[in-house]
Amino acid sequence: MQLVFNKPESLTVNPFTYCPGCSHGIAHRLVGEVIDEMQLREKIVGVSTIGCSVRCWRNFDFDIVQGAHGRGMAVATGLKRALPDQVIFTYQGDGDLAAIGMGETIHAAVRGEAITVVFINNAVFGATGGQLAPTTLPGQWTSTYPKGRDVSWTGSPINMSEILAGLPATTYIAREALTTPKNVLRAKKYMRKAFEAQTLHGGFGLVELLGSCPVNLKLKPVEALNWVEKNMIPQYPLGEFKDTGKEAAS
Amino acid sequence: MMKGNEAIGEAAIRAGCRFYFGYPITPQNELLEYMARKLPEVGGCFLQSESELAGASMLYGAAAAGKRVMTSSSSPGISLMQETVSYLASAELPAVIVNISRGSPGLGRITPAQSDYNQATKGGGHGDYNILVFAPASVQEMMDLTMLAYELSDQYRIPAMILGDGIVGQMMESVVLPEPVETIPEKSWAACGCQGRERNLVISAPFTDEDLIDLNRRLQEKYRVIIEREQRAEMIHTEDAEFIFVAFGIVSRLAHSVVDSLREKGCKVGMIRPQTLWPFPDDAFNRIPRAKGVLVVEMNEGQMLIDVRLALNGRVPVRHYGRGGGWVPSPDSIEAEMLKLMEEVEKNAVSL
Ligand SMILES: Cc1ncc(C[n+]2csc(CCOP(=O)(O)OP(=O)(O)O)c2C)c(N)n1
Ligand code: SF4
């Protein structure tokens, strides 16, 4: 019998503990596959941050350092400066990266730290029960704004990829949605390029993955993915925003 | 001759520290700038962070990679670092943090003070934890205690703090340079890529409730061992002293001069000078057999005072002389306070 589908070596046998239909599981699987394919498992150090993925070290089978809420890229900076020959990445939610960790995020990008960032944008604080995130859409229900996000009171959603692409020291920035098989395959391609920004070009690479949090959207898993397609993509257009590696090569 | 702040930097480099992250604040900028100049010369890394929050997290990352690391700041910046100090404690990471402290809550001013004693010795951040706290009183001790801080921090996998003030940080004294450390202990737990071994996890919170309780137990057991083995204090004329000063850091220098002048006048006075503030040198207080009165002199409103009272447990009357906010006592005023205590004790008029 031929084995055609197996778990990546970079993932443990521990089951995912996410809710049904949660996009973190797909994102983890992509991280595992990309690290396997790039043969990085033995030279990678991951930074787990605070959010639903706080215990991603249960699922990733390589060295992990757990950072404080929002400080992922500062921890990754310390690691990369200490281990310039190793590959360092962070796995962060939108609350972690764009709310409490905005300072660390912007400054790591300003410095062009040679790290890779896997950024899960699910438009909500998942772990704490569905409160407003900086990425929450106008009108979207959250537990802290049950009448929907009123932009005159809480401001408008923030497009991190566009902002980070505008900073001179970043190398690769792209956004994809974990909604359809086609998109997931493209997300994997972008993720690989975000790692290559570090391994080939010594630069800052980030892939933003639009994902669903069905529990806090109060939708069934499939409906939640449709919601992402219909509502998030118009606010957060997909594609590669910056690829200086490619520009340098051509 | 060397400035106190620079002496810490030189000692750190001699101890094998190659990674410094920090954010400017007076009165410790000489240390940050010393590291900025010297680390590149020895193949190390200096990085000015965007805040103390970020700088401390960078320190955490480099410590998790198994390196000897340093950050430094002064009181308001140290408050911001407490998030990471708590994480360092739970992840059991060695790191050296320097606080050249200011007085007063809030912004304070750059005048010297010892008002961060409680924050330093009672954990500082959230959770049941302690860190090693060293209190240098001279430029030489800035060096020696920094060397020791790295050694013990690695040995016990616990963060360590050098707690100084604007005077010890800024003063110039001659020093004997410590020998550079040749080999830094192997850190088999470091997260640096899992080639040829099982993966390493440097995590703050384990997966299960039971594991978290176990972690806390383990930390307490480690603290118990440290309390037993690592208390340090200088004892000055304590064998026969009837009246004893307790003072740490810069103010102990002033109190020492008062001990000398009172001894010349025939008074049996002495001093306990804690060099470790955590673990607090409780044992020293069991070695003052003739004590009739203790005067705690601090540049704060009475913080170490509480630890002294606990150590003595009511055996000897304790008085406090101190102010916060950047006040430095004169030797004459310290002497006058001691004479007052002596008189009250002789008249049996002192309350505990
Ligand atoms: C300093 C601090 N503040 C608040 C929290 C509580 N908290 C944990 S996760 C989180 C938000 C997580 O949201 P996000 O980063 O979007 O990740 P998700 O859970 O959606 O995957 C918050 C507020 C914390 N752990 N630490
Ligand atoms: S709360 Fe949302 S983000 Fe968290 S595991 Fe559940 S679905 Fe995923």
Side-chain angles (χ1 to χ4, degrees):
Chain A
M1 195 170 67
Q2 196 193 351
L3 189 63
V4 291
F5 190 78
N6 202 354
K7 88 168 177 58
E9 221 194 312
S10 296
L11 295 184
T12 64
V13 293
N14 296 327
F16 292 135
T17 46
Y18 302 107
C19 310
C22 173
S23 294
H24 277 306
I26 305 172
H28 281 22
R29 166 106 203 165
L30 294 185
V31 169
E33 288 180 4
V34 168
I35 291 175
D36 276 11
E37 285 165 24
M38 293 178 74
Q39 300 186 329
L40 296 178
R41 196 184 85 84
E42 296 194 324
K43 60 177 307 190
I44 203 155
V45 183
V47 178
S48 78
T49 58
I50 318 284
C52 282
S53 59
V54 60
R55 292 187 192 89
C56 64
W57 47 266
R58 292 253 310 151
N59 302 112
F60 291 143
D61 195 5
F62 40 76
D63 281 9
I64 298 267
V65 178
Q66 189 178 49
H69 191 26
R71 315 286 172 242
M73 290 191 216
V75 174
T77 297
L79 279 162
K80 186 66 185 188
R81 298 293 174 135
L83 305 167
D85 298 331
Q86 304 301 63
V87 178
I88 311 296
F89 85 103
T90 68
Y91 186 101
Q92 300 179 262
D94 44 350
D96 194 271
L97 178 144
I100 192 167
M102 184 59 114
E104 286 73 11
T105 299
I106 293 286
H107 284 280
V110 163
R111 291 188 300 268
E113 286 298 334
I115 58 173
T116 300
V117 178
V118 177
F119 169 33
I120 310 297
N121 178 358
N122 59 10
V124 73
F125 282 18
T128 40
Q131 297 86 359
L132 180 93
T135 46
T136 295
L137 301 179
Q140 182 186 335
W141 179 92
T142 58
S143 67
T144 41
Y145 294 96
K147 290 184 182 155
R149 181 176 192 166
D150 174 356
V151 296
S152 74
W153 189 258
T154 62
S156 301
I158 187 158
N159 287 40
M160 288 307 297
S161 285
E162 287 83 337
I163 289 174
L164 297 174
L167 296 173
T170 54
T171 298
Y172 181 81
I173 311 283
R175 182 189 287 128
E176 191 42 82
L178 299 176
T179 45
T180 63
K182 208 165 138 204
N183 285 352
V184 170
L185 283 178
R186 205 176 304 114
K188 181 172 166 187
K189 191 177 103 193
Y190 290 170
M191 190 184 288
R192 181 171 177 128
K193 288 173 90 171
F195 275 102
E196 285 171 352
Q198 179 180 178
T199 58
L200 301 181
H201 309 296
F204 180 98
L206 175 141
V207 60
E208 175 176 346
L209 304 171
L210 304 183
S212 66
C213 172
V215 167
N216 288 305
L217 289 170
K218 305 202 181 307
L219 294 172
K220 298 204 177 83
V222 176
E223 290 168 3
L225 290 179
N226 290 338
W227 183 91
V228 172
E229 288 258 321
K230 190 159 156 276
N231 298 291
M232 283 188 79
I233 294 175
Q235 170 69 38
Y236 300 113
L238 307 181
E240 293 176 292
F241 295 88
K242 191 168 187 183
D243 188 358
T244 57
K246 188 170 90 191
E247 285 153 25
S250 62
Chain B
M1 293 285 278
M2 229 176 176
K3 215 178 212 188
N5 283 335
E6 297 188 339
I8 295 178
E10 182 57 33
I13 291 170
R14 284 169 182 259
C17 166
R18 291 294 178 272
F19 296 88
Y20 177 98
F21 307 93
Y23 185 84
I25 183 170
T26 314
Q28 60 82 53
N29 290 325
E30 296 83 3
L31 172 52
L32 173 104
E33 287 159 5
Y34 191 83
M35 296 310 249
R37 280 198 311 277
K38 295 286 174 166
L39 276 173
E41 289 174 11
V42 294
C45 160
F46 166 88
L47 195 60
Q48 183 174 327
S49 59
E50 63 269 28
S51 69
E52 290 86 349
L53 283 173
S57 279
M58 292 171 186
L59 172 99
Y60 177 93
K67 306 298 181 185
R68 284 196 165 172
V69 297
M70 173 171 273
T71 187
S72 63
S73 188
S74 181
S75 310
I78 296 291
S79 290
L80 284 183
M81 290 180 186
Q82 295 302 339
E83 169 184 73
T84 289
V85 180
S86 178
Y87 272 74
L88 287 166
S90 64
E92 299 188 83
L93 288 178
V96 176
I97 298 153
V98 180
N99 181 3
I100 302 299
S101 67
R102 305 178 172 200
S104 166
L107 177 62
R109 292 167 61 82
I110 60 171
T111 41
Q114 300 181 318
S115 303
D116 295 352
Y117 178 95
N118 281 347
Q119 185 196 52
T121 60
K122 310 293 184 254
H126 57 284
D128 284 309
Y129 76 91
N130 284 102
I131 62 172
L132 299 167
V133 184
F134 297 93
S138 64
V139 177
Q140 184 67 52
E141 252 187 4
M142 290 288 224
M143 297 200 107
D144 298 344
L145 293 179
T146 300
M147 301 292 287
L148 182 64
Y150 278 103
E151 186 189 319
L152 297 184
S153 177
D154 269 355
Q155 183 181 331
Y156 294 102
R157 292 183 60 185
I158 182 174
M161 178 176 279
I162 306 293
L163 182 60
D165 61 73
I167 304 178
V168 269
Q170 303 289 331
M171 70 190 180
M172 303 270 287
E173 286 181 327
S174 59
V175 285
V176 181
L177 297 174
E179 282 299 307
V181 171
E182 295 290 328
T183 42
I184 294 171
E186 187 70 27
K187 294 175 178 173
S188 57
W189 46 263
C192 49
C194 65
Q195 188 164 22
R197 59 158 167 79
E198 291 281 290
R199 68 177 181 150
N200 282 339
L201 298 173
V202 176
I203 55 173
S204 174
F207 187 57
T208 66
D209 294 348
E210 297 76 42
D211 287 349
L212 190 55
I213 293 169
D214 280 353
L215 167 67
N216 277 266
R217 275 281 157 81
R218 203 171 66 243
L219 292 179
Q220 293 305 317
E221 177 54 24
K222 170 159 81 180
Y223 300 154
R224 207 188 47 71
V225 172
I226 294 173
I227 289 169
E228 207 174 277
R229 295 193 194 149
E230 306 299 348
Q231 298 179 23
R232 282 171 173 77
E234 187 187 4
M235 309 292 280
I236 299 158
H237 302 311
T238 43
E239 326 72 48
D240 69 338
E242 295 178 345
F243 291 91
I244 294 175
F245 288 107
V246 188
F248 72 92
I250 191 61
V251 79
S252 69
R253 303 271 291 257
L254 305 173
H256 198 158
S257 71
V258 178
V259 170
D260 292 343
S261 70
L262 285 174
R263 280 264 162 189
E264 272 170 32
K265 292 177 192 162
C267 303
K268 289 202 168 149
V269 293
M271 178 162 77
I272 296 175
R273 178 174 75 84
Q275 291 161 300
T276 53
L277 302 181
W278 196 90
F280 190 71
D282 287 309
D283 294 346
F285 292 81
N286 297 329
R287 288 186 279 128
I288 46 172
R290 311 279 298 278
K292 292 188 199 166
V294 166
L295 181 64
V296 182
V297 187
E298 296 178 89
M299 286 156 33
N300 61 43
E301 299 285 348
Q303 299 194 14
M304 181 172 66
L305 170 66
I306 294 161
D307 286 331
V308 173
R309 283 206 175 121
L310 286 171
L312 286 168
N313 201 15
R315 292 197 304 272
V316 182
V318 182
R319 268 288 160 79
H320 182 254
Y321 181 50
R323 302 264 181 291
W327 164 95
V328 184
S330 67
D332 285 351
S333 73
I334 296 174
E335 182 171 320
E337 284 294 317
M338 186 51 114
L339 291 172
K340 207 161 85 191
L341 172 66
M342 288 158 95
E343 198 183 302
E344 282 174 3
V345 168
E346 298 306 345
K347 276 202 221 142
N348 245 339
V350 73
S351 57
L352 285 174

